[in-house]
Amino acid sequence: MTLTQPTAQQAEAILAALWERNYDPLTTELISQLPLGAGSRCLDIGAGAGSMSRWLAERVPQGSVLAVDVSTDLLDGGHAPGLTVRQGDIEAERFAPGSFDFILARGVFSVLKNPDDLLTRAVQWLAPGGWILVEDFYFMPADDAATPVGRRVVEAYLRVFRAQGADMRFARRVPARLAAEGLTGVDFHLRPLGPGQGEYENELMRRRLELQGQPLVDNGWVSAQDLAEFVATIEEPASRDVTTLLFSVWGQRSSA
């Protein structure tokens, strides 16, 4: 019996759902601690499948949420009043200063061509008293992975990001960058990610390698046996590791 493999779009939808399940709880917890009014104007940069955009629309019932992403195939704003979906390159957007009371950017800046430039402009898009929450990933060196197979798989995974031009250290600079832009109340939360860092984290890693790992093999960056071993041992105590740190950083534009 031959199992039918999901199409690329189906695989993307599967991983998007697992991504949201893994990351949404922390994001919603952090936003819930911010003083967002019911009429706040919100911008979700790189909205993905839109779970946070829809959540924000419920959080600000008299306000508005603009969800922007380069691909809106998985984004549906039709069932959320106040939510507008826009397909586009956020680096090309030119919003007027003070357009938003809250901006969310999750897993976006580190994969952009000019993240520092966009961060500066995003701060300008905030209205006086507005807040921004930036969540992004700081990738740990593959050489320090817990197991030999972990070192090979993590290095192959990092090569994908390097090939795409990602800045894998950008997240670490965000707290200082927001402070340098004049924001107040800047603070951050760190979450360790990697094998053994939680049920949802394990499942996301496992399914990502199962659905998207073949190009790593095809490029000769890792063997199929390595991928299979990594997936099979992901929950074993000897494989537990921190391969990535999730920086969640927030700050407020002065109301003066």
Side-chain angles (χ1 to χ4, degrees):
M1 178 178 178
T2 302
L3 296 178
T4 302
Q5 293 296 313
T7 65
Q9 186 172 8
Q10 290 170 335
E12 184 180 358
I14 291 170
L15 293 177
L18 293 173
W19 166 283
E20 292 172 342
R21 185 180 69 165
N22 192 32
Y23 296 119
D24 283 5
L26 176 60
T27 306
T28 55
E29 177 185 350
L30 294 175
I31 297 175
S32 295
Q33 297 173 13
L34 301 179
L36 294 187
S40 295
R41 302 160 298 165
C42 304
L43 172 65
D44 188 358
I45 298 175
S51 62
M52 287 308 308
S53 299
R54 292 186 292 271
W55 184 88
L56 281 169
E58 295 179 359
R59 180 75 167 71
V60 293
Q62 282 82 55
S64 62
V65 179
L66 175 60
V68 180
D69 204 301
V70 292
S71 172
T72 57
D73 292 344
L74 301 178
L75 260 172
D76 179 12
H79 302 293
L83 172 59
T84 301
V85 172
R86 180 185 299 178
Q87 189 276 329
D89 179 359
I90 191 62
E91 291 189 281
E93 294 285 354
R94 293 294 184 269
F95 297 112
S99 293
F100 302 101
D101 303 298
F102 175 71
I103 296 176
L104 172 64
R106 189 164 65 162
V108 175
F109 281 98
S110 63
V111 298
L112 299 178
K113 295 178 181 178
N114 300 296
D116 288 288
D117 175 67
L118 179 61
L119 189 60
T120 296
R121 290 193 290 119
V123 169
Q124 295 171 352
W125 297 339
L126 284 174
W131 290 85
I132 186 170
L133 172 60
V134 178
E135 295 192 290
D136 225 314
F137 305 98
Y138 180 84
F139 295 88
M140 309 296 280
D143 289 346
D144 296 331
T147 64
V149 70
R151 289 192 285 274
R152 293 191 292 272
V153 172
V154 171
E155 175 57 28
Y157 191 68
L158 294 181
R159 290 185 69 165
V160 175
F161 285 92
R162 286 196 290 266
Q164 295 171 347
D167 185 342
M168 295 181 290
R169 300 178 179 179
F170 178 78
R172 184 176 176 180
R173 303 197 299 271
V174 174
R177 286 284 289 105
L178 290 185
E181 292 293 342
L183 296 191
T184 61
V186 175
D187 206 347
F188 64 93
H189 177 279
L190 283 180
R191 176 187 172 188
L193 301 171
Q197 298 300 328
E199 175 187 355
Y200 293 164
E201 170 72 359
N202 286 346
E203 181 64 12
L204 176 58
M205 294 183 68
R206 179 186 298 110
R207 292 295 279 158
R208 179 178 285 142
L209 290 174
E210 290 173 349
L211 294 172
Q212 298 182 336
Q214 189 58 45
L216 304 181
V217 177
D218 294 341
N219 285 322
W221 296 343
V222 71
S223 71
Q225 290 77 12
D226 281 339
L227 287 186
E229 180 182 345
F230 185 87
V231 168
T233 61
I234 201 169
E235 295 182 0
E236 294 184 1
S239 298
R240 191 177 186 189
D241 197 4
V242 177
T243 59
T244 314
L245 294 175
L246 173 61
F247 275 76
S248 301
V249 191
W250 59 91
Q252 183 182 29
R253 185 169 185 182
S254 174
S255 57

